[in-house]
Amino acid sequence: MKKILFAILIGSTLISCNKEASDDVNQDKIYTDYEMFYNANTDKTVVVARFKFGDITGTNLELSNGAFVLFGSDTLYYNVWYTGHAKEYAGQIPVGTFSYTDTDGNTFTNTAPSGQSIAFDPSFTTITKSVANTLTWVGSTLAANEAVGVFVGTNWTWGQDALFYQDLDGASDLVMGVNQMANLATGPATVFMDRSINLDVSQGTSKGGKIRYRYRTLNQNVTVNP
């Protein structure tokens, strides 16, 4: 699950052109994954409803033959970039409800949890690879079902990056270990940080699903030292 959350954090690794029509599969075997994602760097909220056959790793499904999904009163349409049915909104939307109706006429309604903001401490300007670093964020401590993910990209070269994850209740920081930072290139780097709350859906098929709110703070430019 952590790898999936990391992929969601950096975005692009979830993209796949492979998909099937939802009416080709047993409707009770469709796993649902709903997300509200606010990115402070773009000041946009993206809502995404992903449908998978079986579980989160299953085949992507595009709703078909009368099936549809709403966010509020807006119909969401399939977008290959998000591997799901998506819509972008200006600004931050604090709450929202997804309503999915399958080809059998069953409707499942789920409201996204309220998310908390997070920010980098302005003093976080350097990362030293040779020793462990503690990254303390600005914001409340983690509550149940919350997590923080951090991605460090250097030179935008594959393999010269690092990922960190914290999901302990009550945590206010995370430790960037030496082994995790081994592949970072020295010099300028961009750091991304997401805070999410992830819950089981209240209404779904026998395969269940997840619903989350994710907040990405303004990226931080740092220098990576040896």
Side-chain angles (χ1 to χ4, degrees):
M1 180 57 70
K2 289 183 180 180
K3 291 182 179 179
I4 294 170
L5 290 176
F6 287 153
I8 292 172
L9 171 67
I10 60 177
S12 62
T13 54
L14 278 179
I15 298 171
S16 170
C17 293
N18 296 324
K19 62 180 174 66
E20 294 183 9
S22 67
D23 65 331
D24 287 341
V25 303
N26 184 329
Q27 299 299 285
D28 192 49
K29 303 299 183 183
I30 295 178
Y31 177 96
T32 53
D33 185 82
Y34 305 105
E35 180 176 72
M36 293 181 64
F37 170 40
Y38 175 70
N39 187 342
N41 297 276
T42 59
D43 191 31
K44 292 195 301 186
T45 298
V46 180
V47 300
V48 187
R50 297 182 177 94
F51 302 91
K52 305 276 188 172
F53 180 59
D55 57 31
I56 188 62
T57 63
T59 302
N60 298 320
L61 300 174
E62 179 176 2
L63 299 184
S64 58
N65 194 24
F68 63 93
V69 60
L70 303 175
F71 179 76
S73 60
D74 295 334
T75 300
L76 305 183
Y77 297 97
Y78 192 86
N79 185 306
V80 65
W81 175 256
Y82 294 108
T83 63
H85 295 69
K87 184 176 175 63
E88 296 181 348
Y89 296 89
Q92 184 177 12
I93 300 175
V95 294
T97 298
F98 294 86
S99 180
Y100 157 54
T101 300
D102 66 17
T103 58
D104 294 335
N106 302 305
T107 297
F108 308 94
T109 301
N110 291 274
T111 299
S114 298
Q116 299 294 316
S117 63
I118 195 171
F120 288 103
D121 188 317
S123 66
F124 175 61
T125 57
T126 60
I127 295 172
T128 302
K129 291 176 55 177
S130 58
V131 296
N133 295 238
T134 299
L135 190 162
T136 302
W137 58 77
V138 176
S140 59
T141 59
L142 294 184
N145 303 304
E146 282 192 304
V148 169
V150 172
F151 173 75
V152 183
T154 54
N155 299 325
W156 298 109
T157 301
W158 178 256
Q160 295 183 352
D161 49 30
L163 288 161
F164 308 92
Y165 183 82
Q166 174 63 278
D167 64 354
L168 293 177
D169 292 358
S172 60
D173 58 31
L174 58 79
V175 176
M176 306 165 74
V178 172
N179 291 339
Q180 293 166 285
M181 297 187 293
N183 292 329
L184 288 178
T186 57
T190 302
V191 187
F192 301 76
M193 182 163 61
D194 287 5
R195 180 174 187 154
S196 62
I197 179 168
N198 197 56
L199 304 177
D200 292 330
V201 294
S202 59
Q203 295 185 15
T205 69
S206 65
K207 292 299 181 179
K210 293 290 184 179
I211 187 166
R212 78 184 61 82
Y213 189 97
R214 183 161 57 103
Y215 179 99
R216 176 169 296 170
T217 188
L218 294 173
N219 299 337
Q220 185 86 342
N221 294 321
V222 303
T223 300
V224 178
N225 296 321

